Amino acid sequence: MKDLEKYTLRIADTSLILAQRLSEWCSNGPTLEEDIALSNISLDLFGQANGLLDYVSKLNGEKSADEIAFKRNERQFYNLQICEQENGHFGDTIIRQFLCDSYFKLFYSSLANSKDEILSAIANKSLKEVEYHLRHSSNWVIRLGDGTKESNQKIQTSLNQIWKFTGEFFEMDELDNIMLKKNIGVDNNNLKEEWDLIVNKTLKQAKLTRPNDGYMMNGSKQGLHTEYLGKILAQMQYLPRAYPDAKW
Amino acid sequence: MQSGKIAEIWTLLGTVPDPEIPAISVVELGVIRDVKFLNNEFIISVTPTYSGCPAVKTFQDDIKTQLNQNKIHNFKIEIVYKPAWTTDWMSNETKEKLRKYGISPPEKFAQCPQCSSTSIELISEFGATACKSLYKCKDCLEPFEHFKCI
């Protein structure tokens, strides 16, 4: 696989798997408004994944975007592990979303300056959407953190549990370095400082304690995942795999 | 020689309604970025409103149907992402159409499209479509949708 193709695929997979996860809230949201909000965020992420997968397909020259989404196995997916984590209760989902949105905002701001015109265009478009998502998830983190004693404890636990997946946002491997050198990719290390500012500010307002950086999970850049990705794929890929000629 | 045809295509596109807000056309929505003639075919550049907006697929089909019905077959629709779609491209006339249709247009402050009151409250940041949020008027008590500024 070409470098640019693999780099784009990583970004696409991150949006795709988080979108699929969030879509599980559709018809299960705690309130109608929140059901619609989570489904809308999911839809934006699916749209971003679609644009990126179309580009991967073009770079690949053989497989269609659908084939790439539906006909790969776990080890061939490169999404950040945080995206595949279970939805849990509403607070678990909101914390995961907030941490991801904060990262997306900075990642796409940087990718918008990419020398690659298509990545830059998709990043510019995505940025507008993720900023809106971040506003929504931040507001909920504050409302739940600074809510009742019970809501505070619950979301603090959510935060503590997911924290070990935030290390992957800032990792750089060989491919990242190659892409950075070509002025196409993002310097992930560079995002950390500003991410800390955004996260710390909201957590403080929410009366939540930032967990210490302990052991951080990693491996998604090599296609290594937690047990949850396989289950997501089983559901997401069932129809096109079972009925390969199905049209929708 | 093709400029007359290009003008005709623009006119036809102006009759294709937005699938979710039929009060305005896809041209008024600002998603048609360019029509040009290249290598014996017309290229219609379309930009999505939101990345995941399901209406994008629908209005592409509607454009095809409308042009085919008017005996135009040598065209293709191309998706462009840059510059990213913005509600700034909507004219005041279009905004007025939205207001009459019952949607508060994309302006900095939402306003009740029924009674023009600015005493309103946000019900939900996300509405029935990606491009709208939900408000309620505190004066006439009617709920209404606001087209988000992006």
Side-chain angles (χ1 to χ4, degrees):
Chain A
M1 203 187 292
K2 284 165 266 177
D3 286 346
L4 180 59
E5 182 186 343
K6 189 165 183 185
Y7 188 75
T8 309
L9 186 59
R10 284 179 180 176
I11 310 169
D13 281 347
T14 290
S15 300
L16 178 64
I17 297 302
L18 186 58
Q20 179 69 23
R21 246 318 173 221
L22 278 178
S23 75
E24 292 169 17
W25 277 105
C26 186
S27 82
N28 294 308
T31 63
L32 183 59
E33 288 78 9
E34 207 43 41
D35 197 302
I36 293 169
L38 293 172
S39 304
N40 260 303
I41 294 169
S42 164
L43 199 56
D44 282 345
L45 293 170
F46 271 126
Q48 293 163 14
N50 195 36
L52 291 160
L53 285 174
D54 277 339
Y55 189 36
V56 174
S57 162
K58 204 176 135 198
L59 293 166
N60 178 283
E62 283 175 21
K63 292 178 183 154
S64 71
D66 273 1
E67 275 177 279
I68 296 165
F70 296 128
K71 301 211 171 138
R72 280 180 298 147
N73 298 331
E74 297 99 303
R75 290 294 302 271
Q76 296 161 308
F77 270 77
Y78 301 103
N79 60 282
L80 297 170
Q81 290 176 359
I82 192 170
C83 305
E84 70 210 33
Q85 298 311 305
E86 287 187 301
N87 281 336
H89 57 66
F90 181 66
D92 290 330
T93 294
I94 282 298
I95 274 290
R96 183 188 63 204
Q97 197 57 35
F98 164 67
L99 298 172
C100 288
D101 289 340
S102 309
Y103 158 75
F104 287 147
K105 178 185 151 101
L106 301 172
F107 179 81
Y108 284 126
S109 298
S110 178
L111 191 66
N113 301 317
S114 172
K115 224 177 78 183
D116 184 275
E117 273 188 28
I118 299 194
L119 282 185
S120 153
I122 294 176
N124 257 310
K125 175 120 203 105
S126 306
L127 184 59
K128 287 187 174 195
E129 295 164 359
V130 299
E131 280 177 336
Y132 199 75
H133 303 166
L134 176 61
R135 197 166 91 188
H136 182 75
S137 55
S138 307
N139 282 340
W140 268 113
V141 168
I142 294 165
R143 244 191 283 179
L144 294 173
D146 191 16
T148 63
K149 200 177 160 195
E150 190 187 349
S151 72
N152 174 282
Q153 278 171 357
K154 272 189 153 177
I155 199 165
Q156 181 68 57
T157 306
S158 310
L159 179 64
N160 298 346
Q161 282 172 347
I162 200 103
W163 195 254
K164 63 176 178 287
F165 291 100
T166 59
E168 276 203 323
F169 292 149
F170 313 108
E171 268 186 16
M172 291 291 282
D173 73 347
E174 201 189 332
L175 178 62
D176 287 309
N177 283 316
I178 294 171
M179 288 292 117
L180 179 62
K181 247 183 219 154
K182 290 185 175 167
N183 295 319
I184 292 174
V186 171
D187 186 349
N188 299 326
N189 285 325
N190 233 351
L191 308 177
K192 180 87 163 74
E193 202 177 319
E194 215 173 323
W195 186 83
D196 281 343
L197 285 177
I198 298 178
V199 169
N200 292 350
K201 190 180 157 212
T202 303
L203 292 185
K204 192 178 169 199
Q205 224 180 325
K207 300 191 172 128
L208 293 169
T209 311
R210 180 184 161 120
N212 293 323
D213 286 353
Y215 174 75
M216 289 289 181
M217 298 289 286
N218 68 82
S220 69
K221 288 181 199 282
Q222 294 93 51
L224 296 172
H225 293 279
T226 58
E227 65 184 282
Y228 306 114
L229 181 66
K231 294 174 187 170
I232 296 181
L233 297 186
Q235 190 174 41
M236 186 178 88
Q237 299 181 332
Y238 172 77
L239 192 91
R241 291 222 193 212
Y243 304 94
D245 302 322
K247 295 263 176 288
W248 64 88
Chain B
M1 167 191 144
Q2 298 302 342
S3 60
K5 205 75 182 167
I6 287 176
E8 186 193 340
I9 291 176
W10 273 107
T11 310
L12 288 170
L13 294 174
T15 64
V16 176
D18 175 307
E20 278 165 347
I21 311 168
I24 62 172
S25 76
V26 290
V27 174
E28 289 169 313
L29 185 65
V31 295
I32 312 291
R33 301 314 302 154
D34 192 26
V35 180
K36 59 176 180 260
F37 189 74
L38 198 73
N39 300 330
N40 284 319
E41 63 180 354
F42 294 96
I43 315 273
I44 301 165
S45 303
V46 172
T47 196
T49 48
Y50 282 76
S51 302
C53 182
V56 176
K57 175 81 179 71
T58 312
F59 69 61
Q60 285 186 55
D61 292 343
D62 294 346
I63 289 169
K64 283 177 197 159
T65 310
Q66 177 67 305
L67 293 185
N68 285 337
Q69 275 173 0
N70 287 276
K71 299 191 174 62
I72 299 171
H73 300 282
N74 56 331
F75 66 91
K76 84 173 176 210
I77 298 173
E78 176 191 82
I79 300 285
V80 293
Y81 287 99
K82 212 170 191 170
W85 179 78
T86 162
T87 43
D88 295 346
W89 294 337
M90 250 185 232
S91 69
N92 287 336
E93 195 190 340
T94 305
K95 288 178 184 171
E96 209 39 55
K97 282 188 185 174
L98 284 176
R99 206 188 309 274
K100 282 196 183 124
Y101 188 66
I103 296 171
S104 161
E107 282 158 354
K108 201 171 174 193
F109 300 104
Q111 191 183 20
C112 174
Q114 313 293 342
C115 71
S116 302
S117 167
T118 49
S119 169
I120 51 170
E121 70 178 320
L122 177 69
I123 297 176
S124 173
E125 283 168 315
F126 293 84
T129 64
C131 55
K132 289 173 289 182
S133 48
L134 271 180
Y135 282 82
K136 184 179 157 183
C137 176
K138 286 185 182 170
D139 283 327
C140 72
L141 305 180
E142 284 289 324
F144 67 91
E145 291 183 304
H146 173 60
F147 211 111
K148 299 188 292 212
C149 288
I150 72 162

